[in-house]
Amino acid sequence: MTHWSILGRRVLAVGPSLSPLARGPLFGAAMETAGLERLAEARSASVDLALVDVDSLDPQALTAALETLAASGQAPPVLLVGTRLPAGLVRVAMRLPQSDVVEPPYSDDQVREAVFGLLDAAGAQAPAAADSTSRCWSIVGAVGGAGATTLAIEFAAMLAARANRDHAVCLIDLHLADGAAAAYLGATPAMGLAEFGPAAERMDAALLAAFTTPVAKGFDLLACPRDPLAFEQISKDAVLRILEIACEAYEFVVIDMPRHRRPWTLEVLAGSDEIFVVSELTVPALLAARALASEIEAGLPVGVRTRIVLNRLASRMFGPAPSVAEAERALERKAEAGISSDWEAAAASVNLGGPISQHRPKSKIVRDVAAVVDRLLGVQTPAARRSGWRPRRAA
């Protein structure tokens, strides 16, 4: 089994017996083998973990190297592997911010437990990051096929175009079992959360890149491969953790939400700056949108309001669809916006792979989405960070 939770970690191995760990419990780590000189120079900024084969090294030289490391004030976590630990060596190890000992013979599980314990301790002592200024928009369809995924993609693409810089927007498809965002974009889903198991909650920014699929300049995608068991295998803590990390790395996070409630649904929506409920202009869809918006608002703090978007607006000459005024009477509230119908542009973009704004930039859909984005960007202001996976902005 691949141990993804160590993926990409920078591990310094000092001693010849430690190399096999790279093929076992530390599979996926960026392993560097070096001597005591390199250990003395190791710093937490460039090394995530130092492994030391105590039995293969001169005790006095090792003690001196650890003394230099401890004195630097920037020592990475150190895991000592061996049976012969002189008292002087132990005393120096105790001066390190994080250290532990594993005695041979040891199992893979023992090594993993020690490594994760050290990394968790180092993470807990790391300086707190500055308050996130990221903004999060969540989009959920009132009924299946309402076009929520299409609009999530277009929102993300439009925000990225407005930002015009790297790492501006991350689109996260939380249809974990059968999301369509990657297919619509002609991209390969790379967020293998189900393979993490319980270790998914240990994820950090260093692993985000391994899950990210670049779509365009400033526009990245996080989406899971198709897996019918994904909702059962991926914990709430893992979902909230990936959102928290994404909000620290990107200016905007756009979430394509499943319409059926999951254990994490309300927490995700509570941390969102904007919540869009997407409805078609049919009576069943409008009634479903009204009910869903009310259910969401009832489960969130007082004052939180959803924004209902009417999708696929078309001239009444093409059928007996309700007017916007009639739709708003059915909704018992004003709609936030209407998005015009442009079936040819939407179908062409899905078939070619990519946002409508890429393949049909003059589409009425692109125009209407741009109007929504620009209007909301004009009214949003920064606010203090709140508890939870990320903050909802204060009004």
Side-chain angles (χ1 to χ4, degrees):
M1 177 179 177
T2 300
H3 304 292
W4 291 99
S5 50
I6 199 68
L7 180 66
R9 296 285 192 172
R10 300 161 299 180
V11 177
L12 175 65
V14 182
S17 71
L18 302 176
S19 297
L21 296 180
R23 299 187 296 273
L26 300 185
F27 182 84
M31 185 83 82
E32 174 192 354
T33 302
L36 288 175
E37 298 82 2
R38 178 72 176 92
L39 175 64
E41 298 171 353
R43 300 294 182 266
S44 57
S46 57
V47 175
D48 295 314
L49 175 71
L51 294 175
V52 181
D53 179 6
V54 175
D55 293 342
S56 69
L57 301 168
D58 177 72
Q60 291 185 341
L62 175 57
T63 301
L66 290 179
E67 285 178 341
T68 302
L69 188 62
S72 72
Q74 303 176 49
V78 176
L79 180 59
L80 302 173
V81 180
T83 57
R84 302 193 304 272
L85 274 73
L89 179 62
V90 173
R91 284 195 295 269
V92 174
M94 291 175 64
R95 290 164 45 198
L96 295 167
Q98 296 89 27
S99 64
D100 201 354
V101 178
V102 174
E103 294 187 22
Y106 47 78
S107 66
D108 286 357
D109 286 342
Q110 287 175 313
V111 173
R112 276 192 292 267
E113 183 179 358
V115 167
F116 290 148
L118 289 170
L119 294 177
D120 285 348
Q125 292 185 10
D131 287 349
S132 172
T133 58
S134 178
R135 301 174 184 177
C136 177
W137 293 2
S138 289
I139 295 93
V140 57
V143 295
T149 295
T150 296
L151 291 185
I153 290 171
E154 296 309 313
F155 277 137
M158 189 62 64
L159 289 168
R162 294 290 188 268
N164 192 31
R165 65 175 183 80
D166 293 335
H167 302 299
V169 180
C170 183
L171 172 62
I172 303 179
D173 189 347
L174 288 185
H175 296 263
L176 303 177
D178 57 353
Y184 280 24
L185 289 166
T188 301
M191 188 166 63
L193 286 177
E195 299 181 52
F196 266 67
E201 297 157 23
R202 302 178 184 272
M203 289 181 296
D204 60 15
L207 298 180
L208 189 69
F211 285 154
T212 300
T213 302
V215 175
K217 179 178 175 58
F219 180 4
D220 293 339
L221 171 70
L222 289 174
C224 291
R226 188 178 183 87
D227 180 356
L229 301 178
F231 280 116
E232 289 72 36
Q233 295 175 337
I234 300 172
S235 70
K236 178 178 78 171
D237 288 340
V239 171
L240 298 180
R241 180 61 179 152
I242 198 72
L243 293 176
E244 183 179 13
I245 298 169
C247 283
E248 292 172 354
Y250 293 88
E251 181 179 354
F252 274 94
V253 172
V254 178
I255 304 175
D256 186 8
M257 292 283 294
R259 59 191 178 91
H260 298 299
R261 186 170 295 189
R262 301 293 172 180
W264 36 261
T265 296
L266 289 180
E267 289 189 55
V268 172
L269 295 177
S272 300
D273 299 297
E274 301 292 351
I275 304 167
F276 299 90
V277 174
V278 180
S279 175
E280 294 181 304
L281 224 65
T282 64
V283 171
L286 293 168
L287 295 178
R290 184 178 74 188
L292 179 58
S294 298
E295 291 166 8
I296 291 172
E297 291 165 1
L300 298 181
V302 175
V304 173
R305 295 284 289 176
T306 59
R307 298 180 186 269
I308 296 180
V309 176
L310 301 177
N311 196 25
R312 303 191 183 115
L313 300 185
S315 170
R316 289 168 65 88
M317 73 173 61
F318 295 111
S323 67
V324 171
E326 291 168 337
E328 290 178 336
R329 284 197 292 272
L331 292 169
E332 298 181 348
R333 66 174 73 194
K334 289 287 187 181
E336 170 65 28
I339 307 297
S340 299
S341 177
D342 191 344
W343 173 255
E344 189 278 333
S349 296
V350 169
N351 291 333
L352 294 172
I356 298 171
S357 56
Q358 174 185 344
H359 298 291
R360 297 290 189 275
K362 295 184 179 180
S363 167
K364 292 178 287 185
I365 296 174
V366 177
R367 177 201 64 196
D368 293 343
V369 167
V372 176
V373 168
D374 288 344
R375 182 166 65 254
L376 293 179
L377 290 182
V379 301
Q380 288 184 325
T381 57
R385 193 175 176 117
R386 287 172 42 176
S387 61
W389 63 268
R390 60 105 39 232
R392 162 180 283 277
R393 298 213 171 287

